[in-house]
Amino acid sequence: MTRPAKFSTDSILDAAADAVRERWRGATVADVATLLKTPPGSIYYRFESRDHLFTSLWLRALERFHQGLLIALTAEDPRQAAL
């Protein structure tokens, strides 16, 4: 029987976003693990590499941006949609 995951993918990606805000390109998996107070192996269990982790963060950010954009495009006033 497997143990339930302590952190969701979103919580790991949220910590990765915090690490990027703090260290920009110098952010590491160890930084993310420190923020979550967990061993780095816990992060590597879900994300096979640093690149995979931060690429997943980028793709999530793009997806969220596009979701907001699609909602904004439904506004009748194009200027309001742009804001």
Side-chain angles (χ1 to χ4, degrees):
M1 186 160 110
T2 61
R3 197 171 67 178
K6 187 173 181 181
F7 302 102
S8 68
T9 299
D10 272 336
S11 65
I12 294 170
L13 293 177
D14 290 342
D18 291 341
V20 169
R21 275 191 288 277
E22 291 176 14
R23 302 216 23 214
W24 186 225
R25 290 184 179 147
T28 65
V29 171
D31 295 330
V32 176
T34 298
L35 290 168
L36 292 171
K37 297 179 175 69
T38 191
S42 298
I43 309 301
Y44 284 115
Y45 184 78
R46 190 83 54 91
F47 299 93
E48 63 190 38
S49 68
R50 176 186 182 272
D51 289 342
H52 186 231
L53 170 63
F54 291 106
T55 298
S56 296
L57 173 61
W58 176 249
L59 291 173
R60 184 184 77 165
L62 285 175
E63 182 179 334
R64 288 180 174 183
F65 169 80
H66 283 114
Q67 287 171 351
L69 178 64
L70 290 173
I71 291 168
L73 290 175
T74 63
E76 290 184 29
D77 179 15
R79 291 175 200 230
Q80 186 64 33
L83 293 174

